[in-house]
Amino acid sequence: MQLGVSSAATQIEGGDYSHSWNDWYQKGRIHDGSNPARACDHLNRWKEDIDIMAELGITIYRLGMEWARLEPVQGSYNDDAVQWYRQLLLYIKGKGITPLLTIHHFTNPMWFESLGGFAAAENIPVYLSFVEFVIRNFGDLVDEYVTINEPNVFAVLGYFQGLFPPGQRSMGAAFHVQSVLAGCHIQAYSLIHKLRSEMGYTNTKVGFAHHARVFSPKSKWNLWHRLCSTLVARFFQGAVTRACLLGRFVFPLKNICKMPGGEYADFLGLNYYTRSAVSGLGDGVAEGVPVNDLGWEIYPQGIAECAGELYSLLKRPIYITENGTCDNNDNFRSRYIYEHIKALSESDLPVERYYHWCFTDNFEWCEGESARFGLVHVDYESQKRTIKKSGEFYKAMIKYNGITDEIYKNYLTQEKYHYGNIKT
Ligand code: BGC
């Protein structure tokens, strides 16, 4: 299994662009008030960041592109931004790192939001034009693509729970958005293959990054908890996975674009973080379990369970496109990584890649700068980067191609999780 790192444009780049997360910030919806225009200033510090990545021995990197920066006005593109991404990609490749490019990771330009965003099926061609623009401008530098990051999280948090932009609260809208996004993914999958093959490339890989968690009934003796956990698993992740991977639209999703059944992924992208204890139509955390600094349960076996579910639907190589934890003081991140990778290696699944979330601490959406997920610490005031102990651990694992007794002793024996259902 190759070990790499993951990031997303809005979370690291900084810069004042007219997009949905800038707007969310203006509306006061970031808990600690941090402004995504600052983030990690990767816009100016990209070289330093890629140098640190190379120093860790990283050879695979999942990164994103900021749609609002590349296409500030519908149909009109920013050539400086194109040149910036091209030099970044060339530098990444020059360091022997293979990029996996995410085309959409949560953030929409405001002009797209005003058209109705992904709540309007008529906007699918607008997203596809951006996909085409990306391939025409970067297709010579990138072979591997994630069409959309976590369609379910985008839809549920933005349209049902009201926590992400645009802040709606309708279950029906969240299902509709998932159906639209599945249509987007399937069409982008075919479009990217078509365009790249016209350009003469035969090594294209396309998938989407699916957010999955384990849903367990809070009490396994309680019938209502059991029923809800089955329903929530289907509504949150089961239906959208089938739609995106196979073009099979089951209740509550609808095949709005009349997509034919098929096989729409060259790899199975999985973002895994936690397990939910279900007692109703929502989320929850069991009592007394190990949790991270945001109160999310740490449940390493779940990564193999979720990967196994994806693999049962479609036999493709598995890429863990994200896995990581909020550990503000880097007290248990190494142990978290070790246990999740161990669970994967003990399964008999074809897990080819593991992209740790995240490379540096970054702008963690609603939590802003206060939730730290990085292998590299960022002091947001000075923008100084410091490799954390977990970053050194990751580097050692890459160097020795696994865990030696020495690595275990140096990095893992002192690490302890928090226990109990806490929320900081
Ligand atoms: C998202 C990331 C986010 C991470 C941690 C994932 O759902 O893709 O952007 O930072 O979770 O919350």
Side-chain angles (χ1 to χ4, degrees):
M1 187 189 319
Q2 237 182 318
L3 302 185
V5 286
S6 202
S7 72
T10 310
Q11 294 183 270
I12 61 171
E13 288 180 7
D16 205 357
Y17 301 104
S18 176
H19 61 51
S20 48
W21 279 90
N22 186 340
D23 185 59
W24 210 228
Y25 160 73
Q26 307 287 347
K27 290 185 168 131
R29 299 298 301 268
I30 311 301
H31 301 168
D32 64 2
S34 35
N35 185 343
R38 173 157 85 170
C40 308
D41 191 28
H42 183 68
L43 261 183
N44 296 305
R45 292 165 204 267
W46 56 274
K47 228 181 211 167
E48 180 188 351
D49 287 339
I50 305 306
D51 288 346
I52 300 173
M53 208 175 279
E55 189 187 327
L56 295 185
I58 303 290
T59 52
I60 49 169
Y61 174 37
R62 173 177 172 227
L63 73 157
M65 283 190 168
E66 193 64 85
W67 187 359
R69 200 176 144 207
L70 283 161
E71 190 178 359
V73 174
Q74 186 178 9
S76 142
Y77 300 95
N78 174 352
D79 194 51
D80 289 348
V82 173
Q83 294 317 321
W84 185 89
Y85 282 113
R86 285 193 66 85
Q87 77 178 353
L88 171 68
L89 287 164
L90 283 166
Y91 197 72
I92 290 171
K93 289 167 66 112
K95 292 280 173 186
I97 301 171
T98 304
L100 168 62
L101 185 65
T102 308
I103 297 177
H104 185 272
H105 194 130
F106 292 167
T107 307
N108 287 334
M110 285 313 285
W111 61 259
F112 184 66
E113 288 283 289
S114 3
L115 296 176
F118 291 108
E122 309 83 80
N123 290 336
I124 296 179
V126 182
Y127 161 77
L128 292 174
S129 310
F130 180 62
V131 173
E132 175 159 357
F133 166 83
V134 168
I135 304 304
R136 296 215 182 277
N137 285 276
F138 308 102
D140 58 326
L141 299 177
V142 181
D143 302 324
E144 308 174 350
Y145 298 86
V146 167
T147 55
I148 294 174
N149 182 69
E150 302 186 344
N152 55 349
V153 170
F154 178 87
V156 171
L157 271 68
Y159 290 84
F160 174 52
Q161 296 180 333
L163 298 171
F164 275 19
Q168 288 186 26
R169 289 179 155 275
S170 146
M171 198 183 273
F175 294 145
H176 178 71
V177 170
Q178 291 195 53
S179 303
V180 171
L181 288 171
C184 285
H185 163 73
I186 294 173
Q187 295 181 61
Y189 176 87
S190 308
L191 179 63
I192 297 170
H193 274 291
K194 177 177 157 280
L195 294 172
R196 284 255 314 167
S197 82
E198 283 167 10
M199 290 163 93
Y201 297 106
T202 51
N203 55 347
T204 310
K205 290 182 189 158
V206 186
F208 80 108
H210 177 50
H211 178 108
R213 45 179 76 181
V214 174
F215 288 99
S216 299
K218 193 157 189 178
S219 157
K220 65 177 175 191
W221 309 114
N222 184 315
L223 273 180
W224 172 244
H225 294 185
R226 280 163 54 180
L227 175 69
C228 288
S229 93
T230 311
L231 285 178
V232 172
R234 180 179 187 136
F235 290 175
F236 181 68
Q237 61 197 31
V240 77
T241 326
R242 280 166 182 73
C244 288
L245 293 179
L246 304 170
R248 206 186 294 150
F249 289 75
V250 295
F251 179 78
L253 302 194
K254 289 203 183 105
N255 192 351
I256 303 170
C257 320
K258 306 272 175 284
M259 292 287 105
E263 297 187 346
Y264 300 112
D266 306 312
F267 56 85
L268 301 168
L270 172 64
N271 295 357
Y272 174 81
Y273 289 88
T274 190
R275 169 167 74 170
S276 295
V278 180
S279 56
L281 290 180
D283 205 1
V285 182
E287 297 293 330
V289 294
V291 290
N292 73 7
D293 289 358
L294 290 172
W296 303 356
E297 181 179 355
I298 297 170
Y299 181 63
Q301 307 88 290
I303 196 168
E305 290 172 30
C306 291
E309 266 174 43
L310 282 180
Y311 194 67
S312 70
L313 293 174
L314 187 62
K315 303 284 177 279
R316 291 288 186 276
I318 296 163
Y319 294 180
I320 303 302
T321 33
E322 287 181 28
N323 172 241
T325 196
C326 176
D327 172 15
N328 289 324
N329 298 312
D330 204 41
N331 287 329
F332 51 83
R333 179 172 290 102
S334 304
R335 182 167 164 199
Y336 179 101
I337 296 172
Y338 167 71
E339 291 181 357
H340 284 75
I341 292 183
K342 185 161 174 279
L344 290 169
S345 358
E346 287 171 356
S347 75
D348 51 8
L349 296 163
V351 184
E352 291 188 358
R353 303 186 190 179
Y354 172 95
Y355 293 88
H356 184 71
W357 184 272
C358 190
F359 173 49
T360 59
D361 293 332
N362 59 39
F363 175 80
E364 175 51 32
W365 308 116
C366 297
E367 308 292 338
E369 293 167 359
S370 329
R372 295 181 179 272
F373 279 75
L375 294 169
V376 176
H377 180 272
V378 174
D379 175 331
Y380 291 102
E381 291 297 326
S382 66
Q383 289 293 342
K384 183 173 166 13
R385 275 79 164 133
T386 313
I387 299 176
K388 299 181 189 177
K389 189 175 162 215
S390 54
E392 296 292 351
F393 164 74
Y394 207 58
K395 176 179 180 181
M397 266 207 309
I398 293 173
K399 179 164 177 205
Y400 292 98
N401 205 9
I403 300 278
T404 61
D405 290 348
E406 190 70 7
I407 298 178
Y408 193 89
K409 195 167 114 250
N410 287 347
Y411 294 98
L412 299 169
T413 44
Q414 303 299 318
E415 301 235 325
K416 289 199 175 53
Y417 295 138
H418 312 295
Y419 281 80
N421 183 358
I422 55 150
K423 175 109 181 105
T424 52

